Amino acid sequence: MTRTMPTILLLLASNIFMTVAWYWHLKGGMTKPLVAVVAISWGIALFEYCLAVPANRIGYASGWSAGQLKVAQEAIALVVFGVFMVTVLGEPLHWRHAAAFGCIMAAVGFLFVGR
């Protein structure tokens, strides 16, 4: 079995934790002291690291380059953030979001083509 799926699933899960760690406080947490928000965010981010590090090790060991891992992670991060932005923060998606995502997906394609 190829190790592509575990890498992608771990990167997806890690990005969910990181998005929450970075942006949870924008909706209803703006009155909390900054030091508390940072401490809570670091606690959440710990889980992100527990998933991202194995994802990168598995991907790298199965032949992905560091560049491929990073660009794939960024593409996943955009998808996760887009969902978070709409569902949690209540912000709409615009054509600019789709265009930016398209550019990132093109970068993913460039790094994986001919591999």
Side-chain angles (χ1 to χ4, degrees):
M1 179 176 142
T2 163
R3 294 187 182 203
T4 299
M5 190 56 69
T7 299
I8 291 171
L9 291 175
L10 285 168
L11 287 174
L12 176 64
S14 75
N15 273 282
I16 291 169
F17 278 105
M18 188 51 79
T19 299
V20 171
W22 284 359
Y23 300 103
W24 69 270
H25 58 92
L26 298 180
K27 185 81 169 199
M30 294 297 289
T31 59
K32 291 179 178 27
L34 184 57
V35 86
V37 169
V38 169
I40 293 167
S41 292
W42 277 3
I44 296 168
L46 172 64
F47 294 104
E48 186 269 341
Y49 287 109
C50 290
L51 297 168
V53 171
N56 287 314
R57 289 176 64 105
I58 291 167
Y60 197 76
S62 62
W64 291 32
S65 71
Q68 289 171 324
L69 286 165
K70 181 59 181 171
V71 173
Q73 182 275 326
E74 293 298 337
I76 292 167
L78 282 177
V79 171
V80 169
F81 182 75
V83 171
F84 185 88
M85 184 180 82
V86 172
T87 60
V88 175
L89 300 178
E91 297 181 13
L93 288 174
H94 296 287
W95 69 267
R96 296 180 317 274
H97 296 102
F101 182 72
C103 290
I104 294 293
M105 295 314 287
V108 171
F110 286 132
L111 278 177
F112 280 91
V113 84
R115 181 175 137 33

